[in-house]
Amino acid sequence: MGPSKPSTGASPTPAAQDPATALEQTLGLLQSRDDTSRFVGLALLKSILDNQRDYLSNITIISRCWDAIPVRFLDRLLRATEGEKRTIEDAKNMVDLAVAVIHTFVVLLPSDRRDGEKMTGRSAGLVAALASSSPETTTNILQTLLTITSGARGYTSLWQVENLRPLTSIAPEQPLALDVIERMVLQGAQESTPNAAQIDKLFNELVLDIKNDQIHIFFRWLADTLPSIPPEALSPNPPWLSSLVGLIHKIFSGRPSFVAREAGTLICSTLIQLYSDRVLPLLFCDPSPSSDPDATSPLYLFLNLILIDIRSTFPSLMEILASPEYLKTARRVAAGFDVVTAFIGFLIRSMGESLDDDEDGEPQLGSLTISPDLLLKLRRDVAETMSLTIEFFRDRWDSAVAGAAGLDVTARPQPGQQRMPGVPLTLGWDSPEGGIGKDGLILGALRALGLWLREDDNEALRAEAAGIVDALLGLFSMSSEIQRGSDTKVIDFRQPVLTALEGIVATDDGVAAFLREDGWEVLSKDLNLIIGSAQNSSPAASLGEHIAGAEMSRGIEIIRILLVVTENVATTAPGDERLAMVRAAASVSFEEAEESSDVANLEVSMFQLAAELLIRAPVNVRRRYRDEAANIERRSRTLAVTYSGTGGNGDIVEGATEVISSMESLGFNSNPS
């Protein structure tokens, strides 16, 4: 039975009494069996604590007061509703008083008492009270829950609440509610308290309860929260994903404000990073395309808005580079580039994918719901965006290393360079938050630019990109040096740089720029480190000690670039500095290559580069590498025999056979027969 309507005539007047006497009288009322007396005691206790400030710092008094409050009575007050003996106003007063008292003690109690069952056990009642509480009481409840979830047991108590809907339904319009949910999710995920299904249920309720004018708030919050959740606590295919993408399309299909567009771009980037395989078809394929031929594709509107935002932001980026505003702006633009990169990759893959499900019933990459003419428009828009990206990249790099755009390479400070007396310091213009090596915008832009340069046959854009080869190689060298050190916060740019170079060296201008900026030396140095055969001719070691999966992939890509440069008609005959790669290839003999096709691919790729270098070398120079050539040929024959009878390894056999034929054509034949 809940507490009855409190009697107004039963209240004593403690104001005229001694504070200690009033407190003892109040504690006595709380211990009575009459709900009316308890209610009066609770009201008096709140008044005493508000007026006697010296009590607030007395842990003994605070603990006595908290112990005197009956838990079941508090719970009944929190559940108070209108009834035969209680009006709506009476019920509201009961809930307000219970919340006010709990809110007071959650602040005053020491951490061990605050994290006790008596406090954390009130979480369910507090959440339920949110359904009909006043704005002031709602704020007190959320502040209380936020404090409770900071404790070791507090966040657990919230996950034990069966119905969190009163909390999730007000979350988008109440920043404190989002803070409570974020804390319970992050704290719980760290301790494996909730499972993925519980988190999915919570997020699903949030998505379903969202209102149009709150979408941008929720998107920004989710974009900040999701990356902080440990991957093992997230479902690989969350049920709320399609509904969330539907909200994204809803924003971009209308006339989104800048704030909404920014939040939508950020959440798109986050989803692409976490759920790439699942979210890309949802983002880029319309499940219900319009039958109206004049209707503009939602996909085109979506991508066009992002490209416009990137292009319109570029002119102001350099102006705000040294200000705190740059970080926020750079994050938004980088997120836009993530979406563009994902679309380019999705477009490339979708061209060779079937529309039907595979044998396992897994959804394949669907068709792009966009007309050919709009796709051509998008191509022009992307090309224009990439051209501006190259300009920005040029200015951004020059500002970081020399302080002004367009300065000659000789004007830039060299690594380890000491300042000479009388020589002025180099002017610098860079972000104060770690410089270009920690700029996420550079990484995002470079990924998109590199993929577009490699996949789109735009000779003019590739020639334009040849003008930033020095900057690309500079970032590559910076990453190589830092990755061997201890600064793990610095971004590794090497993979996107290689992707960009692969497109650039497809042109004569690109090859010339690559050689002029010592690109061969930069890449071959990294390759030598990858294969464990450094320039000091250290003996080759086991693959497991030197090559990780990502490094092996990077090594093959480096070889691919060096091979294109070597085969270019404008490239001069290789000298000893390039032919050193022949000796490096000859010194490599991975035992794992006969058991791992990935390792064999790397080894054959090196042999192909060595063979092409020997073909291009002058005859008198070539003779000095007879022993190395014989060693490469013998190893190629071994790999060809090993993989000739296996399925799916035709590239290895073909590559090894090609190397053997090249060596034979040069007169380097190690076959005893």
Side-chain angles (χ1 to χ4, degrees):
M1 178 179 177
S4 61
K5 177 180 177 180
S7 172
T8 56
S11 175
T13 56
Q17 299 178 3
D18 176 69
T21 302
L23 179 62
E24 294 300 326
Q25 181 183 5
T26 299
L27 296 181
L29 289 170
L30 289 171
Q31 295 299 314
S32 69
R33 296 186 177 182
D34 176 46
D35 279 349
T36 300
S37 298
R38 289 174 174 175
F39 186 89
V40 172
L42 207 58
L44 291 176
L45 179 61
K46 179 70 169 61
S47 176
I48 290 173
L49 293 178
D50 288 343
N51 294 314
Q52 300 297 327
R53 295 295 178 182
D54 54 325
Y55 284 177
L56 303 182
S57 57
N58 191 321
I59 296 178
T60 302
I61 291 178
I62 294 299
S63 297
R64 280 191 62 206
C65 293
W66 179 244
D67 291 338
I69 300 174
V71 171
R72 293 182 179 178
F73 180 65
L74 266 182
D75 289 341
R76 292 202 302 274
L77 289 178
L78 287 173
R79 293 194 303 266
T81 56
E82 181 186 9
E84 294 181 1
K85 299 181 180 181
R86 189 184 306 128
T87 65
I88 295 178
E89 188 64 24
D90 289 337
K92 176 181 175 299
N93 290 337
M94 291 176 183
V95 174
D96 289 350
L97 178 60
V99 170
V101 169
I102 296 174
H103 179 263
T104 298
F105 278 96
V106 82
V107 175
L108 299 179
L109 285 170
S111 59
D112 58 330
R113 300 297 307 277
R114 185 170 59 236
D115 205 32
E117 171 60 26
K118 187 171 183 177
M119 179 62 74
T120 59
R122 312 287 68 76
S123 295
L126 289 169
V127 170
L130 287 169
S132 57
S133 59
S134 64
E136 181 181 355
T137 300
T138 295
T139 300
N140 285 341
I141 292 175
L142 294 176
Q143 289 176 347
T144 301
L145 291 175
L146 190 61
T147 305
I148 288 176
T149 53
S150 64
R153 294 177 57 184
Y155 63 84
T156 305
S157 68
L158 266 181
W159 282 113
Q160 293 171 349
V161 176
E162 292 184 3
N163 182 18
L164 287 170
R165 204 61 180 267
L167 177 63
T168 59
S169 63
I170 65 169
E173 62 190 30
Q174 288 282 351
L176 274 176
L178 289 175
D179 291 341
V180 171
I181 294 172
E182 179 180 0
R183 184 168 291 181
M184 66 178 282
V185 169
L186 297 185
Q187 290 273 83
Q190 294 293 340
E191 302 296 331
S192 301
T193 298
N195 54 40
Q198 288 177 293
I199 294 179
D200 283 342
K201 180 183 177 183
L202 179 65
F203 283 171
N204 195 54
E205 290 180 354
L206 285 168
V207 172
L208 293 177
D209 287 332
I210 201 75
K211 298 178 178 64
N212 288 343
D213 58 343
Q214 304 161 354
I215 291 179
H216 67 280
I217 300 174
F218 176 62
F219 279 177
R220 180 173 286 277
W221 174 84
L222 196 60
D224 292 335
T225 303
L226 276 176
S228 301
I229 302 176
E232 58 272 14
L234 292 172
S235 169
N237 186 23
W240 45 266
L241 191 59
S242 59
S243 299
L244 183 63
V245 173
L247 292 177
I248 294 173
H249 286 155
K250 186 176 182 180
I251 275 191
F252 283 94
S253 295
R255 294 185 177 180
S257 64
F258 171 79
V259 174
R261 191 171 65 245
E262 179 183 39
T265 305
L266 291 175
I267 189 59
C268 279
S269 172
T270 300
L271 294 178
I272 287 169
Q273 294 173 34
L274 294 177
Y275 305 106
S276 178
D277 292 339
R278 292 293 177 181
V279 81
L280 293 187
L282 296 174
L283 273 176
F284 301 134
C285 295
D286 187 359
S288 55
S290 173
S291 57
D292 183 2
D294 297 325
T296 304
S297 166
L299 173 59
Y300 177 78
L301 291 174
F302 170 55
L303 293 170
N304 192 44
L305 281 174
I306 290 178
L307 290 170
I308 289 173
D309 181 53
I310 293 174
R311 293 197 301 270
S312 62
T313 307
F314 270 140
S316 63
L317 278 175
M318 294 306 298
E319 298 175 7
I320 63 173
L321 181 58
S323 70
E325 185 183 351
Y326 176 80
L327 293 179
K328 180 182 177 182
T329 305
R331 182 191 178 196
R332 185 188 82 245
V333 178
F337 273 117
D338 288 343
V339 176
V340 174
T341 304
F343 171 71
I344 297 171
F346 183 82
L347 177 62
I348 295 167
R349 284 178 288 165
S350 65
M351 291 177 179
E353 291 286 349
S354 170
L355 302 181
D356 299 326
D357 291 350
D358 63 11
E359 295 178 357
D360 298 327
E362 295 295 327
Q364 295 294 302
L365 296 170
S367 61
L368 294 172
T369 52
I370 184 171
S371 62
D373 60 325
L374 287 180
L375 197 56
L376 287 175
K377 281 185 179 180
L378 269 181
R379 184 193 179 199
R380 290 194 294 269
D381 291 339
V382 172
E384 181 184 353
T385 304
M386 295 308 162
S387 179
L388 292 174
T389 302
I390 292 171
E391 291 182 19
F392 167 73
F393 201 85
R394 175 77 272 165
D395 293 342
R396 181 72 176 87
W397 175 257
D398 286 342
S399 70
V401 301
L407 281 183
D408 188 81
V409 180
T410 57
R412 300 174 189 147
Q414 301 302 313
Q417 177 181 352
Q418 299 295 321
R419 181 181 175 229
M420 301 299 292
V423 176
L425 288 171
T426 305
L427 292 175
W429 181 253
D430 207 346
S431 170
E433 302 293 331
I436 194 171
K438 298 181 181 180
D439 193 340
L441 172 55
I442 296 298
L443 179 63
L446 195 51
R447 282 173 177 163
L449 176 62
L451 189 58
W452 188 255
L453 287 172
R454 188 182 70 183
E455 301 297 337
D456 187 54
D457 293 328
N458 189 330
E459 296 297 316
L461 190 65
R462 287 173 173 173
E464 187 178 350
I468 59 169
V469 166
D470 62 308
L472 296 175
L473 293 172
L475 280 177
F476 191 95
S477 298
M478 179 192 302
S479 299
S480 296
E481 294 296 329
I482 292 172
Q483 291 302 316
R484 292 199 297 271
S486 58
D487 193 351
T488 56
K489 294 182 179 180
V490 175
I491 299 170
D492 188 352
F493 296 101
R494 288 176 292 183
Q495 195 59 51
V497 165
L498 292 174
T499 304
L501 287 175
E502 191 172 348
I504 293 173
V505 298
T507 65
D508 292 344
D509 289 342
V511 171
F514 178 83
L515 294 174
R516 183 174 62 249
E517 301 296 340
D518 297 326
W520 189 284
E521 179 182 352
V522 172
L523 297 193
S524 61
K525 180 179 179 181
D526 191 59
L527 179 60
N528 282 330
L529 291 173
I530 290 174
I531 64 176
S533 178
Q535 292 180 347
N536 59 4
S537 299
S538 59
S542 170
L543 177 71
E545 299 176 10
H546 284 279
I547 304 181
E551 289 188 328
M552 187 151 46
S553 174
R554 191 173 76 248
I556 292 175
E557 194 155 356
I558 288 174
I559 294 171
R560 189 182 301 128
I561 293 171
L562 297 182
L563 193 57
V564 172
V565 172
T566 302
E567 293 173 343
N568 187 276
V569 294
T571 304
T572 58
D576 287 337
E577 71 283 352
R578 280 186 239 160
L579 287 170
M581 191 58 64
V582 176
R583 288 199 171 94
S587 67
V588 173
S589 180
F590 294 127
E591 295 179 1
E592 293 89 341
E594 296 179 27
E595 301 175 2
S596 168
S597 59
D598 291 336
V599 182
N601 266 318
L602 175 62
E603 195 165 356
V604 168
S605 296
M606 289 199 64
F607 294 162
Q608 288 176 307
L609 176 59
E612 189 64 30
L613 285 168
L614 288 172
I615 290 173
R616 304 275 175 170
V619 176
N620 59 333
V621 176
R622 187 188 306 158
R623 292 195 186 100
R624 299 203 298 265
Y625 295 88
R626 177 178 295 276
D627 293 341
E628 287 81 0
N631 190 26
I632 290 172
E633 185 182 350
R634 281 194 299 270
R635 184 62 182 162
S636 297
R637 291 184 184 279
T638 300
L639 292 175
V641 171
T642 301
Y643 286 95
S644 60
T646 60
N649 293 305
D651 289 344
I652 297 175
V653 177
E654 182 180 349
T657 303
E658 181 183 315
V659 172
I660 296 169
S661 299
S662 297
M663 295 304 177
E664 289 177 346
S665 68
L666 295 173
F668 297 144
N669 189 348
S670 64
N671 190 357
S673 60

